[in-house]
Amino acid sequence: MNMILPTPISATPNGTTRPQVRIVIVGHVDHGKSTLVGRLLHETGSLPEGKLEMLKAVSTRRGMPFEWSFLLDALQTERDQGITIDTTQIRFRTGSRDIVLIDAPGHTEFLRNMITGASQADGAVLIIDALEGVRDQTRRHGYLLHLLGVKQVAVVVNKMDRVDFSAARFNEISDEISAHLTGLGVAPTAVIPISARDGDGVAERTPRTQWYDGPTVVEALDALEPAPPLEALALRLPVQAIYKFDDRRIVAGRIESGNLAAGDEVVIMPAGKIARIKTVENWPVTPVEGRQSAGRSVGITLDRELFIERGDVISHVGASPRDTRRLRARIFWLHDKPLARGEQFLVRLGTRETRATVVAIEKAVDPGELSSTENTSIARNHVGEIDISLAHPIAADPYSDNPRTGRLVIEVSGRIAGGGLVLSVDAGQRAVPIDIVPVESALRPDERSARYHHNGAVVWLTGLPGSGKSTLARALERRLFANGGSPILLDGDTLRAGLNGDLGFSAADRSENIRRLAEVATHLARNGHIAIVAAVSPSREDRAAARRIADTAFHEVYIATPAEVCESRDPKGHYAKARAGALKAFTGIGNDYQPPTSSELAIDTSALSVSDATDEIERMLATSGILFDELVDLAANI
């Protein structure tokens, strides 16, 4: 599969730049695609010196007439003398453009490459045999261009020599294909009569087409507009990793579009947190001065401490991607099992991944037929438009706005099952039915904080079974309540006996258990309470999802008691049962617990008393602005 070209601008030997245009060539193999490409390489001076003469001599020795398609075959086989060419990309130059011509051997292969965004086409050349005219396959090709969103199409009517360069025949074909494409919303930029074999209309007009006053093929390609350069698009920096060096917290990733520099005000999506870039880091020289553009891998530091994780997208304030839990996408399905409504899978978009559910399927298409059907599922190697509900919010752009952040990949059981283009983003939607209207509380947040002397918060205690989570949670609850606050304990086991009683201990059920806990805790926090969650929550990803739900209200406390201490306590007898094989899927024996890497607080209850540990949590809440001074003073006097 082809690599995406990094920019549509290429440098010339004298240092100037030329627009680069990606063009897909569509047409039946017998309609002269290879002949046209060979002729274009020759007419634009893109062949190695002596290559044409050598092939003509070889044809003569073999007693066979020379064909222009031999050029393409030879170059594809040899890949020699600096020619950049492979089975699907051919490069050549016109007067003012660098052309990348994209070809594929068949519908399915071509659609697979294009729909996953592996090759982005700025325009297309649609080839029609003048003798055969507009056939069903030609109409399917037109539909394919519509499906891919290609708007610039130059139609080439080839083999005009087979119809004696008849103007009437050309006009008949031109009218028919123009009407068909226009009906699909794809208006042709030109319809050109040519003979690729003889060269008529390829780079020069000849007397045989004197009745035609439009552009040649080369002129038509020269007139196609390239996509805007990635540097001209809005800043998109998907976060790949966060590193700590000395006292610096470096957020690393590759700039997919736009540019950035120290001092820029940025927003981290989907959370919407705003900061300013303090420095731009790189290796070996750091910090980096000046603006850094698309294609560069950089690290940045911010002027404030924010929770940022892999998959977040950094952009400039006022030009951010949309945060969403719902997407419409056009996908190419690769899995053996057809994709049906209600199916679940993993979606990857940039560096973010999240679980997703198919809400609706429309416009299922068989690439062999290229016509819409009313299928309720998408079969292998078929295409369809689907609505996807996401388990967690992501930052995304429609593909038409930004091709680098508008592509997605679908994974099923650890294997790639499909890919596609984001057609639309429902900003801020959580995929709830349209007849649900959330009702806000009658009380304002400031009324509640005046009553309780604190703001709302989620205090999430995580750690191994027996680490002391529930004991600390109860002590904190008692302390805050005694001081006039409004704490509410949400114990993981307690909620599994009620709200989450329908869930087991599979990975999916564990994730859903944490999601429900986070949703309830966040609702309480938004209404001014301090929700104290005590839950093993072994998965780092699940805890990150809880943090996304609660956003700035989330405060993670890692109860970092050593495993041997936890097992020696064994307050519920779970370790003993697990060792005896009587308790399956028990977290604590093995390496199935993933400790936090950036929690707000870590406490080892084997080294601190319950009272001292509670003091530590209180101090953290006070420092974070959750507890007001009055509540802190009351606690100090107890």
Side-chain angles (χ1 to χ4, degrees):
M1 190 172 287
N2 302 313
M3 295 300 292
I4 298 169
L5 300 169
T7 171
I9 301 294
S10 58
T12 60
N14 62 9
T16 60
T17 57
R18 291 162 50 93
Q20 181 174 270
V21 182
R22 303 178 186 91
I23 299 170
V24 60
I25 183 166
V26 185
H28 192 278
V29 67
D30 293 333
H31 289 187
K33 286 196 297 180
S34 295
T35 301
L36 175 59
V37 173
R39 174 66 80 164
L40 281 169
L41 290 171
H42 168 64
E43 299 286 0
T44 57
S46 301
L47 291 171
E49 185 176 353
K51 175 63 68 176
L52 178 61
E53 291 72 17
M54 182 196 75
L55 288 174
K56 286 184 175 179
V58 170
S59 297
T60 300
R61 286 198 303 270
R62 293 178 178 176
M64 57 190 301
F66 170 77
E67 297 284 351
W68 287 99
S69 59
F70 294 168
L71 276 171
L72 189 60
D73 296 337
L75 291 172
Q76 286 175 331
T77 301
E78 297 170 16
R79 302 168 186 254
D80 64 355
Q81 300 186 45
I83 294 293
T84 305
I85 187 169
D86 61 26
T87 55
T88 53
Q89 286 197 358
I90 304 101
R91 298 171 187 254
F92 60 90
R93 298 159 70 90
T94 64
S96 63
R97 299 279 192 269
D98 283 355
I99 303 295
V100 179
L101 198 61
I102 307 165
D103 190 15
H107 286 144
T108 300
E109 292 83 357
F110 169 68
L111 199 55
R112 182 196 301 260
N113 283 348
M114 293 295 294
I115 203 71
T116 55
S119 302
Q120 304 158 25
D122 303 318
V125 173
L126 173 60
I127 299 180
I128 303 173
D129 187 309
L131 188 62
E132 293 187 8
V134 179
R135 309 295 292 270
D136 287 343
Q137 188 183 59
T138 310
R139 296 186 180 90
R140 288 196 293 271
H141 285 140
Y143 185 85
L144 183 147
L145 295 174
H146 157 71
L147 183 71
L148 297 172
V150 178
K151 298 301 182 184
Q152 301 181 96
V153 179
V155 179
V156 171
V157 182
N158 191 24
K159 303 185 182 181
M160 286 296 298
D161 50 294
R162 297 181 63 188
V163 295
D164 297 325
F165 287 89
S166 167
R169 178 59 174 159
F170 170 77
N171 290 332
E172 177 187 349
I173 294 172
S174 177
D175 291 345
E176 187 174 357
I177 191 61
S178 296
H180 176 64
L181 292 176
T182 302
L184 294 172
V186 184
T189 58
V191 183
I192 311 163
I194 73 163
S195 170
R197 186 190 66 182
D198 299 333
D200 302 84
V202 176
E204 295 182 358
R205 295 169 182 80
T206 64
R208 296 198 287 185
T209 56
Q210 58 183 349
W211 42 265
Y212 169 76
D213 58 3
T216 63
V217 175
V218 172
E219 289 171 342
L221 298 182
D222 220 21
L224 294 178
E225 289 297 322
L230 292 174
E231 291 86 346
L233 299 177
L235 171 65
R236 296 293 183 264
L237 173 62
V239 175
Q240 293 182 358
I242 296 94
Y243 302 101
K244 289 185 178 180
F245 290 100
D246 303 323
D247 60 344
R248 293 173 298 160
R249 191 161 173 260
I250 299 176
V251 181
R254 186 179 70 177
I255 305 172
E256 296 294 345
S257 63
N259 58 78
L260 58 79
D264 287 0
E265 190 175 36
V266 294
V267 57
I268 293 88
M269 297 297 288
K273 300 172 184 177
I274 295 175
R276 196 172 292 278
I277 297 177
K278 187 176 180 180
T279 62
V280 180
E281 309 282 334
N282 211 324
W283 186 89
V285 178
T286 193
V288 180
E289 301 297 331
R291 305 203 73 81
Q292 305 300 303
S293 298
R296 293 292 303 274
S297 292
V298 298
I300 63 172
T301 64
L302 302 176
D303 66 347
R304 66 199 67 181
E305 286 290 332
L306 295 175
F307 176 75
I308 299 174
E309 61 181 327
R310 176 179 170 84
D312 287 347
V313 177
I314 296 174
S315 62
H316 286 129
V317 172
S320 64
R322 284 168 261 183
D323 64 295
T324 185
R325 286 182 185 249
R326 187 142 178 174
L327 297 172
R328 166 157 286 214
R330 181 179 296 134
I331 68 161
F332 188 91
W333 189 243
L334 305 171
H335 202 275
D336 291 332
K337 179 184 176 184
L339 180 66
R341 185 174 181 271
E343 295 285 348
Q344 295 187 345
F345 46 67
L346 190 73
V347 165
R348 291 182 179 174
L349 202 153
T351 55
R352 171 78 79 197
E353 61 180 44
T354 181
R355 296 186 312 281
T357 304
V358 179
V359 177
I361 292 179
E362 296 184 17
K363 300 181 180 178
V365 175
D366 178 354
E369 297 296 330
L370 289 177
S371 58
S372 293
T373 65
E374 297 301 321
N375 291 342
T376 56
S377 64
I378 304 176
R380 177 180 172 85
N381 288 334
H382 286 204
V383 176
E385 291 186 9
I386 63 175
D387 285 350
I388 309 172
S389 174
L390 306 172
H392 307 300
I394 63 171
D397 294 292
Y399 180 83
S400 57
D401 291 349
N402 192 318
R404 304 311 295 264
T405 49
R407 298 190 307 272
L408 57 84
V409 173
I410 296 170
E411 184 179 296
V412 173
S413 301
R415 300 186 64 182
I416 300 300
L421 315 178
V422 176
L423 299 180
S424 63
V425 176
D426 292 332
Q429 294 299 307
R430 297 184 62 141
V432 297
I434 59 174
D435 56 339
I436 290 180
V437 181
V439 177
E440 297 294 331
S441 171
L443 302 178
R444 299 191 313 273
D446 60 330
E447 293 180 274
R448 293 182 184 275
S449 61
R451 169 73 61 87
Y452 303 137
H453 306 291
H454 62 65
N455 290 316
V458 175
V459 181
W460 195 282
L461 279 64
T462 177
L464 289 169
S467 60
K469 298 182 301 301
S470 296
T471 300
L472 264 185
R474 285 163 55 85
L476 179 64
E477 181 188 35
R478 171 57 65 185
R479 176 84 60 85
L480 295 175
F481 181 76
N483 296 336
S486 180
I488 298 177
L489 174 63
L490 297 175
D491 183 79
D493 280 359
T494 303
L495 267 71
R496 274 193 173 275
L499 174 66
N500 296 340
D502 60 321
L503 299 176
F505 291 89
S506 67
D509 280 359
R510 285 179 184 269
S511 296
E512 177 60 12
N513 175 59
I514 298 306
R515 187 193 71 80
R516 293 182 191 178
L517 269 172
E519 292 284 2
V520 172
T522 302
H523 178 74
L524 293 172
R526 286 172 181 164
N527 284 280
H529 307 286
I530 295 180
I532 307 170
V533 178
V536 174
S537 43
S539 166
R540 196 174 291 131
E541 179 184 349
D542 290 342
R543 295 195 303 271
R547 187 183 288 271
R548 284 194 294 270
I549 292 171
D551 200 10
T552 55
F554 193 89
H555 301 270
E556 187 177 51
V557 180
Y558 173 34
I559 312 304
T561 307
E564 60 273 15
V565 175
C566 296
E567 185 167 358
S568 68
R569 290 173 177 171
D570 202 12
K572 301 175 183 178
H574 289 163
Y575 283 94
K577 291 180 181 178
R579 293 288 185 191
L583 188 61
K584 303 298 183 183
F586 175 71
T587 300
I589 296 176
N591 298 316
D592 50 352
Y593 180 82
Q594 299 172 340
T597 56
S598 57
S599 61
E600 279 74 9
L601 182 64
I603 294 174
D604 180 354
T605 61
S606 67
L608 288 176
S609 68
V610 173
S611 178
D612 289 343
T614 305
D615 289 343
E616 291 285 333
I617 299 175
E618 267 199 318
R619 277 192 287 272
M620 181 268 293
L621 292 175
T623 303
S624 302
I626 301 302
L627 303 184
F628 296 170
D629 290 342
E630 310 95 276
L631 201 65
V632 175
D633 291 340
L634 283 170
N637 293 326
I638 291 179

